[in-house]
Amino acid sequence: MRSKSAVTLAGVSALALYSSMAVGSKYNLPEPQSVIAKDIYDQHIVLLWICLVIFVGVFGVMFYSVLKHRKSLGYKAANFHHSTAVEIIWTVIPCLILVAMAYPATKTVIAMKDTSSPDMTIKATGYQWMWGYDYLQGEGEGISFYSKLSTPRAQVENKAPKGENYLLEVDNRVVVPVGKKVRIILTANDVIHAWWVPSLGIKQDAIPGFIRDTWFTADKPGIYRGQCAELCGKDHGFMPIVVEVMEASEYSKWVAQQGASAIKTSMHVEN
Amino acid sequence: MAAVHGDAHGHEHDDHHPSGIMRWITTTNHKDIGTMYLWFSFAMFLTGGTLALGIRAELFQPGIQILQPELFNQFTTLHGLIMVFGAIMPAFVGFANWQVPLMIGAPDMAFARMNNWSFWLLIPAATLLVSSFFLPGGAAAGGWTFYPPLSTQGGLGVDFMIFAVHILGASSIMGSINIITTILNMRAPGMTLMKMPMFVWTWLITAYLLVLVMPVLAGTVTMLLTDRHFGTSFFNAAGGGDPVMFQHIFWFFGHPEVYIMILPSFGIVSEVIPTFSRKPLFGYSSMVYATASIAILSCVVWAHHMFTAGMPAVGQLFFMYATMLIAVPTGVKVFNWTATMWRGSMSFETPMLFSIGFIFLFVIGGFSGVICAIVPIDIQVQDTYYVIAHFHYVLVSGSLFALFAGAYYWIPKWTGRMYNETLGKAHFWLSMFFFNLTFFVQHFLGLAGMPRRIPDYNLQFADFNMISSIGAFGFGMTQLLFLYVMINCIRSGEKAPQKPWDGATTLEWTHLPTPAPYHSFEKPPVVQ
Amino acid sequence: MVNSNNTKANVLMMKKLLVFTLIMFVFGYALVPFYEKFCEVTGINNLLKPDVSVNDKNWVDEERWVTVEFDANTRGLPWQFKPLQRSTRIHPGESITVMYEITNNSEREVIGQAIPSYSPRFLDKHLKKFECFCFTKQVLKSNETRQMPVQFVIEPGLPADINTVTISYTFFELPDGASTIKK
């Protein structure tokens, strides 16, 4: 028996160590950069705590029982097999907990769906395997470009050392101004793709022949990276999304630059 | 794969029947067919596991080393299909074949010949699936969910997959019809519905679910086939169809399918826990109602797989609430098991260990399920490794652990021999350790932003992927130990008494000798 | 309890379950029209029919402005396709005509069919199209350019919180000799 409890102790402490690692941001959702992402982040933390409390409660009881109510300790089995009162209690309490979980989520869902009154609209088109962007409305209207993975093939084939943004870097970033409500319209050219930027809290499938929309407002200037999140064939893992958020004045400069640049590609020319 | 099935035929010894391979091809005995189902599913489990190890080997380090992206996608697709349709589902049908007649006091399944067909259909289906790797263009690579238009792009491999799914569907439907009829019409006198063992109850409900949704899957893949070859436009926007409709129909099948794979394991665990607690199951009738409500709810939650496909807010909210509601009957089950153990007189043989391991890990999977049900969070974690971790917690440490529990629990009755307890326990602890090593870290990967189904990843995901891959190889090797324990038991295990588990109360232990005779309950027992 | 030799009862049960299986198979197919109906009612995908004649007089909500964005895509055919204006501001109830332009960049005749899509998706319920190039297939000779109108009105019934909408078209290639879409 001694060796068994030693094993148990070792197991429990290993588990504790394992979960204590889960403090750094590497173990959680990325730092939120928009109101919605912040909501999601906070709700996830709350839910984790609720789950942890229930987990400790249920398995506290179960493992107490496992340790104490053993045949090897000579424990004699009781013979009860139902109790309506107890069963009603443990049906009702989870319902209440679920209501408490659903309430904030409902508010966030409604906020996420509210794509009205955007300051600007950008269309993202999924291709096998890159993204196309058209600035449809707002400052920068008419800008249009493709955005492809810029990681050199040699890095993928392990012939060159991998950079910090390996597989998360593109030739042309989507540039947007900070603090403005950006509406993203999505469609796809061939198969279903999904446009996902974790730190902005947005993910939406891009479906060929149909448009869908979503929105975000970035809180801070910065570069936010994401990836295609719907299996779209061979290079599904190689079509990242990079959003660069700029101060308004910087953004205006960028727009002017784009207008001046002669090598404006048109989205509507098919190869 | 034929060679692997060949292994299945080696170990039996019955005499008053055609011998050799013909015995197995022509058999209509539920025990023979159950045995074949179990060996088949184990062979498929190893096949699917090999694919999984291929995936994990590629993901061991960033960069493309072993599998090119095309092949990688074929591996993920076939891993999913083989594990779901080839390993887990047939394994449960195998248990049903062996145990349902024994537990309700019936001489055999209701339709013995159909039973034989439903098994032998599996072989061509598995052959189609596995052989599609060697086709020009390779196997299907659109994921086990084969969403169009990606799956309309694929080559001959997709057609092979569609036919395989058709055959497997037909086999499942025949199997379920058989199980329902057996349970409803062939119970021993005195065994009312509310006296049936939980395992029989869960299978009855599962079989109804199968009959409900497998035809829908057959319809879906047929539509996909006609879209691919006969110019229909069910899922093609150009012809007035809608690819999102495929997702609706697929998940109308797909979500109940998830419960098809977990309800029988609830049943197994509900047999094992009372036996080793030496105490009756707590809240039997609430267990039955909980199982039924899970099955009913499972039919109205399908769109929670599609929160990112773009759906009106009302739709998202409805499916979110319905999904969260499933946590209630599932919670009731966990509480009932805990209450069954409470003040029991427990001992911890391998089946009990796997059952407790099942509850422990399944609850973790349940929690991540509730977290995934919350639409805003799901938007973040959908199609990431978080979801991979979630459903492996419910399918591997859920279904698979329960299958192991069942195998250790009933193998003495099936073979007349005991397995090696020490090795069984080692199998449990190794499985437990490596399983968590593999899948727990995947939660972190998903939260941090690693999408699923990608062959290569950013360096920030490197350490967890390496841990996960090491765990996966450990887990895979551990299952060879299971194979060894089973073969060792069949060949040279100690003789088992009629009732090796003193807490067991169901008919197969109380009324039948060990091993169960080839023809059992030809005169039905009378249940008090 | 039923006698275990009661094969008749078993066969009856099997027949019932087979019928049920068949019903569920048909149900799978029934989901297709059901889904279309559902989308029509909720206004998700009702796409290809003119709604009312131009003569219908509508009340125009002069108080309100709605920004309408126009979007164009092609899928798998060698056409250039664009709206001649990217967006416009109109009053709900006011009828407007917008021109789109398609050019066939290839050396062969190509048949295309435009599929509309809206955002928000329920816009369909409040959008009445009188004329649209999406009602029929378009046949373009090699290097032909064509301008095509869409005439529509957004009804004043559009929920008050919606002030930006998008109307999008995607051209798909139809195989030679294919008829235009059923519906």
Side-chain angles (χ1 to χ4, degrees), chain C:
Chain C
M1 288 303 91
V2 191
N3 185 329
S4 57
N5 292 327
N6 201 339
T7 28
K8 227 184 223 168
N10 288 353
V11 171
L12 183 69
M13 173 70 80
M14 170 160 73
K15 281 181 184 157
K16 280 187 201 161
L17 290 168
L18 281 175
V19 170
F20 185 63
T21 307
L22 205 68
I23 290 172
M24 285 314 293
F25 185 77
V26 174
F27 174 76
Y29 276 85
L31 283 173
V32 176
F34 176 75
Y35 179 78
E36 278 163 12
K37 194 74 206 162
F38 178 80
C39 293
E40 210 177 294
V41 172
T42 56
I44 296 177
N45 287 332
N46 180 24
L47 309 170
L48 300 166
K49 274 204 207 98
D51 292 291
V52 262
S53 74
V54 193
N55 302 328
D56 279 4
K57 277 281 168 279
N58 246 325
W59 168 63
V60 178
D61 186 351
E62 303 275 355
E63 299 291 294
R64 225 178 123 188
W65 285 104
V66 174
T67 306
V68 186
E69 300 167 342
F70 304 102
D71 171 49
N73 308 283
T74 57
R75 184 178 168 214
L77 74 182
W79 287 4
Q80 190 177 341
F81 175 42
K82 64 179 185 208
L84 294 185
Q85 64 193 110
R86 281 186 177 273
S87 65
T88 185
R89 272 156 60 84
I90 56 169
H91 295 298
E94 180 186 352
S95 161
I96 181 175
T97 304
V98 186
M99 298 304 287
Y100 274 74
E101 186 181 274
I102 39 174
T103 306
N104 183 352
N105 287 328
S106 75
E107 298 300 319
R108 61 185 174 99
E109 185 178 282
V110 177
I111 310 167
Q113 168 73 51
I115 303 289
S117 179
Y118 311 109
S119 170
R121 293 163 82 187
F122 60 78
L123 175 65
D124 200 57
K125 274 199 278 195
H126 308 287
L127 178 76
K128 296 283 172 255
K129 280 199 253 187
F130 310 124
E131 195 184 345
C132 178
F133 54 87
C134 60
F135 295 153
T136 54
K137 60 181 176 182
Q138 301 290 332
V139 184
L140 255 68
K141 300 205 168 36
S142 70
N143 298 315
E144 184 185 345
T145 298
R146 178 182 301 164
Q147 294 192 350
M148 311 164 300
V150 184
Q151 190 189 10
F152 65 91
V153 64
I154 290 180
E155 290 182 332
L158 185 74
D161 55 331
I162 304 293
N163 50 26
T164 309
V165 298
T166 306
I167 297 175
S168 165
Y169 292 96
T170 306
F171 258 107
F172 291 84
E173 178 162 8
L174 288 182
D176 231 2
S179 61
T180 197
I181 298 165
K182 33 136 207 186
K183 274 210 184 189

Side-chain angles (χ1 to χ4, degrees), chain A residues 30-38 198-201 217-221 224:
Chain A
E31 196 188 332
Q33 302 292 348
S34 75
V35 184
I36 296 288
K38 182 90 177 73
S199 37
L200 297 173
T217 301
D219 293 343
K220 275 194 301 213
Y224 307 116

